[in-house]
Each structure stands twice: as structure tokens, then as C-alpha cells.
Amino acid sequence: MTSSDSKSDTTATAQIGVTGLAVMGSNIARNFAHHGYTVAVHNRTTAKIDALLEAHGSEGNFVRGNTIPEFLATLEKPRRVLIMVKAGDPTDAVINELADAMEEGDIIIDGGNSLFTDTIRREKAIRERGLHYVGAGISGGEEGALNGPSIMPGGPKESYESLGPLLEEISAHVDGVPCCTHIGPDGSGHFVKMVHNGIEYSDMQLIGEAYQLLRDGLGKSAPEIADVFRDWNEGDLDSYLIEITAEVLKQTDAKTGKPLVDVILDEAEQKGTGRWTVKSALDLGIPVTGIAEAVFARALSGSVTQRKATVGLASGDLGGKPTDADRFVDDVSKALYASKIVAYAQGFNQIQAGSKEYDWGITPGDMATIWRGGCIIRAKFLNRIKEAFDDEPELATLLVAPYFREAIEAAIDSWRRVVITATQLGIPVPGFSSALSYYDALRTERLPAALTQGLRDFFGAHTYGRIDADPAARFHTLWSADRTEVEI
Ligand code: 6PG
């Protein structure tokens, strides 16, 4: 049934149902329909169903459900229902309503940006009711939802057998390989989507720093910087975010005739997935410094009171602008690439740690495969990440994989020059500099953590290990007595 004025058709059998018909939900419903599936569509406010069928009903087979029972009656069993509503309370409300009316073996899929711990809780509750619950990360924005997103479904393996082929079909494909795979049990899909978003924050922060270095360091205009990004997109940095940076920087504001970017308020907002990534990394003990700097940089941009109060504070003597502009542009591109490698290395470490902590059995290389297309962080170099994990599934860090090791070797001098120049010019580069510090810290043989341990032992008898003893052995110096050492 395709007509917009049809009320319902309980005789039709739909292979998939979508509830929540804002832009993402509508587009994903259309994507299923474009692939020949009959799609049941439902929305709390039926006007949204009308709008979808009015505008796009002729694109494929849709069947409307004005109420949840009506919607469920049109679905083939086991029923597969994709929820595309705002994460949080609305999701719980829809899940409960669906679960009350569903039957054993039916599958509820949450395609929103839900917090992975919510997904763990919901999966358990739904499993106990004899139903299947799949928390699926979906990336790619409105355009991706319509033409092929990257999909990260978690949940029971057996539900993937029934659901996977549909999701794989509507996902983006790269070299014939779908950008969708079963991630692991319960909250694993939303966990990797969360880390994806954290990396997205980091990528965008690094791009912002590169833009500011070219703007304030070289005095380039937004359209000139757009051309630089367009060039960069032809090389190692080839990625969706670099591509659309050129588009945004090229855009002229119709009202003022200025570059649009020059009239947009410089206060970055966030819905929370970057912050969740950092909170989870803190719990797991994984230093995702690039992502953390990106989240804090957004918070700093929005610290309007502090920013107003500090305008005009001393800068000290600022160095001169780079004299060789071409060399500086090349240095910035290399610093951007090296910092980006660090951000991905940290994100993949978080995925490995999360998988271990929650016993998910995630294959990190699979994430690189399904992020090659459809998602916001899609980039040419994800092929290299995939190769690195194919060669060494237990890779300690991407930084030691031969390709990345060489890429950083080729970039390191430029990276240092950029951080030095930025510091001399007073241009903030928290992403570039923290990534470089992370790299330097990892490769440093002796860190000052030995002194930290000594101080902890001094004031709190917290003990320390010794370089010449079993790492598990603990020692304490009798600081307030004769300062001899005892083994604990
Ligand atoms: C994606 C995006 C998408 C959304 C972010 C934006 O993968 O398609 O990440 O999920 O654009 O949630 O997040 P912020 O509003 O926090 O920047």
C-alpha cells in the first residue's frame, strides 16, 4: 500500500517496522522501502505518518499503523521493530508499550544514540520477557539514514540471524562489503557508537585547530582555507569531515556577504555522546586525551562568562608569523594526521578495554571495516586500521602498527614545529599538543610517575613497586621513622 490517504491495512505483511518518524526514522524507513521491503510505519502523532506517506509513499511499499496494536498486526513474525525516538525516557516508554503487545521471539531494535548502560539494562529486562532487544548504533546523519548508514548492532547473536541481512542490505557498502556487522551482546553496539562519536568530536576539534592555525597564523580567509582542505582531501586525510569542512568554509552568508563561518557564533554545542565517551574512559582507566580535550574545548567555547572576563589578558611576547606559508600548511596537515592517528589509537584502546570489561568479544578490526563508509568519521585511513588489526588482532596500540609508525615518523618534525609555532603565536591547540604529549609520554622510558608513587607513599603509606623486584611486590619507606624500606 502506498497511498497517503490509506488508514491501515491489517492484511499486509511488513518485514520491518519503524516507529518514530522524525527525519532519521523517516529516512531509514524509506531506505528499507527502496530495497524492496514492505515497511510498517508508526508515529505517536499520526500527522508524521501522513507527512511521510504524502511526500514519499510512492517510493516503495509502506503500511501504516495508527496505533501500536495496528502497527504490530501488519508485521511478519518474528516481528522486527526499529525504534527511532529521542534517547532517554521516550525510548523506555515506547519499548514498554511495544513489549506489552509483542510475542516471544519478536525483536525490538533501538536505533537511537542510547547510553550503553541503558541498553544493557533494557536488554536484560526484555530478554526476561522472552523478546529480543538489539541496541544498534546508527551513524551517518540524515543523508546516511536514507542512502546507507554505518550500523553497529549489539544484542543476541540469534536475533542478528534474522535481522542482520536486512540491516546489511540498507547499510553503506565499501568494496562490496556492508558497513554493518554484529558487534557483540547487549550494550556493545551502543558502546562502539559512543566511541565513534567521541572520535568524531576529536576529529572535528583537530580540524578546527588546523583551520584556526591557517586563519590566525597565516591570515588566510575562509575560502582560501577551503581550498587547502580540498587539497588535503586528495591525500592521506581523505575523509568525509575534511570534505565537508571545505564545503562549510566556502559557504557565503546571504545576509552579510561574508563567509558563513565568520558569522556563526563560536560556541559549540553537544548532545552528550562525547561526554559519555570520556566518562566511560575514566571508569575504564583508558587515557582518551584527544577526545577529552575535544569535549572540554566545546565546554570552554561555551564558557561565555569566563571568556568575556578574560579578553585582553596578557599574551606575553608573541612570535612572528611563519615566513614560509607553504611549508606551514604542509606542517599543519601532517600534525593533523598524526594527532588524528592518536585519537583513533585511543578510541580503539577504549573499545578493547570495554570489550574486556563487559565480556563482549568485540573484534576491533571489524569496527574499522564498518566505519569505512556511511558514518561521520568515514575516512580512507580506516583501511589501514583494518589491516593493522588483521595483522595483529591483539595490537597494543595503533601507534606501533608499521603503517602508523611510519606515518608518525614522517610527521613528527612537522607536528613539533606546529605545536611550537602555535604556542609562540598564542593560538590554542589543545588537540594537537595533547596528542603529541600522549605520544611522547608513551614512548618515554621513565615517566615521573615514580615520583608520584614516592609522594603517595610519603603522605599516605600507599606503597610502591620496585624496578628490581617482582612487579606484584609492594614496598614502603618508613618516612617518619628511620627511612628504611620494608616489604609489605
Ligand atoms: C552520527 C552522528 C550523530 C549526531 C551526533 C552529534 O554518527 O551520525 O554522530 O549521532 O550528529 O550525535 O552529536 P553532538 O550534538 O553531541 O555533536
Side-chain angles (χ1 to χ4, degrees):
M1 176 168 58
T2 56
S3 71
S4 59
D5 57 2
S6 48
K7 296 276 183 295
S8 66
D9 179 353
T10 47
T11 59
T13 46
Q15 289 89 39
I16 183 88
V18 179
T19 177
L21 299 177
V23 186
M24 285 293 286
S26 294
N27 281 3
I28 215 146
R30 291 169 62 200
N31 187 348
F32 278 116
H34 296 170
H35 282 86
Y37 292 106
T38 299
V39 189
V41 286
H42 168 265
N43 196 78
R44 197 163 293 278
T45 324
T46 53
K48 282 244 168 71
I49 313 178
D50 296 337
L52 169 65
L53 296 182
E54 184 87 46
H56 305 289
S58 59
E59 292 174 13
N61 294 325
F62 296 97
V63 50
R64 66 182 297 155
N66 289 336
T67 62
I68 290 282
E70 215 176 271
F71 172 61
L72 291 178
T74 63
L75 282 159
E76 271 178 11
K77 291 179 189 175
R79 300 180 184 93
R80 294 172 283 234
V81 173
L82 174 62
I83 305 175
M84 295 297 292
V85 301
K86 208 169 172 295
D89 292 346
T91 309
D92 276 313
V94 179
I95 292 168
N96 286 332
E97 201 178 342
L98 283 170
D100 286 345
M102 283 176 126
E103 289 162 30
E104 194 161 336
D106 288 349
I107 307 170
I108 298 175
I109 310 128
D110 171 15
N113 270 333
S114 291
L115 182 59
F116 75 95
T117 45
D118 284 343
T119 305
I120 292 175
R121 167 179 59 78
R122 290 169 181 152
E123 196 278 332
K124 184 168 179 289
I126 294 298
R127 184 168 13 100
E128 283 165 4
R129 298 176 70 167
L131 306 173
H132 294 277
Y133 189 79
V134 172
I138 301 182
S139 177
E142 296 170 10
E143 194 269 334
L146 183 62
N147 297 318
S150 174
I151 311 181
M152 294 147 252
K157 184 101 190 141
E158 47 181 315
S159 55
Y160 194 77
E161 275 157 26
S162 139
L163 183 66
L166 278 80
L167 297 182
E168 289 184 10
E169 207 178 326
I170 65 144
S171 74
H173 285 66
V174 174
D175 303 333
V177 180
C179 294
C180 171
T181 192
H182 182 238
I183 308 296
D186 56 71
S188 58
H190 279 140
F191 180 86
V192 298
K193 174 58 168 55
M194 175 191 78
V195 177
H196 163 284
N197 280 27
I199 293 174
E200 173 186 305
Y201 274 52
S202 180
D203 261 347
M204 289 166 70
Q205 173 63 21
L206 296 171
I207 286 172
E209 290 176 21
Y211 152 70
Q212 186 159 18
L213 283 163
L214 302 187
R215 188 191 70 188
D216 298 348
L218 293 179
K220 283 186 182 292
S221 67
E224 286 168 343
I225 303 171
D227 291 338
V228 172
F229 274 87
R230 209 164 277 166
D231 279 354
W232 287 352
N233 202 38
E234 302 292 313
D236 289 335
L237 286 166
D238 179 344
S239 61
Y240 173 68
L241 284 170
I242 295 281
E243 182 193 325
I244 66 167
T245 299
E247 299 286 332
V248 173
L249 290 174
K250 248 323 186 242
Q251 183 70 17
T252 303
D253 173 44
K255 195 169 158 199
T256 60
K258 292 180 181 170
L260 177 67
V261 72
D262 291 344
V263 298
I264 296 179
L265 261 183
D266 63 341
E267 293 164 28
E269 296 171 357
Q270 52 183 312
K271 293 201 200 74
T273 46
R275 193 169 57 238
W276 293 346
T277 312
V278 178
K279 282 183 175 174
S280 147
L282 288 171
D283 289 339
L284 292 166
I286 301 299
V288 292
T289 54
I291 300 170
E293 287 296 353
V295 175
F296 283 128
R298 289 199 193 186
L300 189 149
S301 75
S303 300
V304 178
T305 311
Q306 289 75 14
R307 290 181 65 190
K308 277 203 179 120
T310 51
V311 163
L313 287 192
S315 65
D317 274 344
L318 297 178
K321 301 212 178 245
T323 45
D324 186 339
D326 288 344
R327 182 171 110 140
F328 189 64
V329 169
D330 187 51
D331 279 349
V332 172
S333 79
K334 293 201 170 92
L336 176 54
Y337 193 48
S339 303
K340 182 181 166 92
I341 292 170
V342 165
Y344 282 67
Q346 294 178 343
F348 273 86
N349 276 162
Q350 183 169 359
I351 289 174
Q352 288 168 311
S355 178
K356 202 164 158 213
E357 172 73 18
Y358 296 99
D359 208 11
W360 283 328
I362 296 176
T363 309
D366 284 357
M367 301 312 104
T369 305
I370 66 168
W371 289 348
R372 292 182 308 163
C375 67
I376 303 296
I377 65 168
R378 60 187 181 260
K380 195 170 104 183
F381 95 142
L382 281 156
N383 276 315
R384 301 298 192 168
I385 299 183
K386 177 181 157 25
E387 283 163 20
F389 281 107
D390 283 350
D391 289 349
E392 178 53 68
E394 302 297 323
L395 198 60
T397 166
L398 276 177
L399 300 175
V400 296
Y403 171 81
F404 292 107
R405 193 188 175 121
E406 280 162 30
I408 290 192
E409 261 164 34
I412 187 75
D413 293 333
S414 297
W415 199 4
R416 291 196 193 286
R417 274 197 297 271
V418 168
V419 172
I420 291 166
T421 306
T423 307
Q424 282 171 339
L425 292 173
I427 298 173
V429 284
F432 283 3
S433 58
S434 80
L436 181 55
S437 286
Y438 173 86
Y439 174 76
D440 278 333
L442 277 190
R443 55 167 209 86
T444 293
E445 247 170 79
R446 288 281 296 159
L447 289 171
L451 178 58
T452 307
Q453 286 295 79
L455 295 170
R456 292 177 69 246
D457 191 56
F458 187 100
F459 64 68
H462 293 298
T463 77
Y464 50 86
R466 289 185 58 96
I467 58 170
D468 51 5
D470 180 333
R474 309 310 301 167
F475 299 88
H476 168 56
T477 291
L478 302 168
W479 295 102
S480 43
D482 62 359
R483 301 205 168 185
T484 55
E485 185 182 74
V486 289
E487 187 170 351
I488 306 297

